[in-house]
Structure formats: structure tokens, C-alpha cells
Amino acid sequence: QVQLVESGGGLVQPGGSLTLSCAASGSIFTIGTVGWFRQAPGKQRELVADITSFDKTNYADAAKGRFTISRDNAKNTVTLQMNSLKPEDTAVYYCKMRVKPVADPWGDYWGQGTQVTVSS
């Protein structure tokens, strides 16, 4: 069983920074693309950024220039550094990993979500 645990959300003032982390645990053989999504109240879940196993990154327009995604393959973690935060960044942030467990086929796994609130 693969589990993802997120951390790092919270309340921050506009212009501030937060770092989100997500760690995968369980019987993992390898991990493919990993990413961060967010869902604001009344809106659909949307991609924020993702990174392939070859470290190729992809950012939503709203995240370009402000957010940085990175991964540590040895620790099975993915991090989202968020700078210059705006009130419109307020949402629940979810990490997603494409995982090949040891004894199961490839699958997509999600974290439980962490709240990010940007407000003065």
C-alpha cells in the first residue's frame, strides 16, 4: 500500500512564502511523474506544477516565476516552493504521484490535501 503525506500548508500574508512537501511511503519500486494540484472553493482541481522522473518541469501559467517544484528520488519526496503568494493562491493543495509499487501495476496516488490560505 502506497501512502502520500503532505505537510507545510498554513496561513500566510500576501507576498509571503510557503513550502509544501509530500512524502511517499510503502512498498515502492519506482516513481514517475509527480505533481501538485490545487482546488479552491467552488472550482475544479487544477494542475499547479509537475516534474518528471527526468526532472523536466511543467508549470501552470499562474505558477510560473513564483513557484518551484523539485523532487528527491532517494527520499520519495516532492516539494513546492511558493513565493510572492497572492490571495488567489488560496486553495487546498494536493500532491499526486505516479507510482509503481513492488507487487502492483502503475497507479496514481493522491495526498490528503493541505490548506493554503493567503490573507492579510
Side-chain angles (χ1 to χ4, degrees):
Q1 187 78 352
V2 175
Q3 291 186 324
L4 306 186
V5 178
E6 299 149 352
S7 60
L11 173 65
V12 63
Q13 292 187 340
S17 297
L18 277 176
T19 302
L20 305 183
S21 296
C22 177
S25 62
S27 187
I28 297 170
F29 178 71
T30 192
I31 299 176
T33 297
V34 299
W36 287 94
F37 291 72
R38 67 186 183 186
Q39 187 166 18
K43 295 188 177 181
Q44 289 189 332
R45 190 173 298 188
E46 62 180 6
L47 174 69
V48 176
D50 59 24
I51 180 168
T52 72
S53 56
F54 299 101
D55 287 337
K56 180 178 180 180
T57 58
N58 173 51
Y59 293 93
D61 287 343
K64 288 178 181 177
R66 299 188 299 127
F67 296 0
T68 302
I69 190 170
S70 60
R71 62 189 290 168
D72 185 330
N73 294 325
K75 297 181 179 179
N76 291 336
T77 60
V78 57
T79 298
L80 185 69
Q81 175 66 44
M82 303 186 294
N83 299 325
S84 302
L85 283 161
K86 305 174 182 179
E88 51 263 44
D89 294 317
T90 295
V92 178
Y93 284 69
Y94 300 88
C95 70
K96 175 187 173 183
M97 295 190 183
R98 184 77 173 164
V99 178
K100 172 64 181 74
V102 170
D104 292 306
W106 283 95
D108 290 328
Y109 293 83
W110 291 86
Q112 79 283 3
T114 186
Q115 177 71 45
V116 171
T117 302
V118 184
S119 175
S120 56

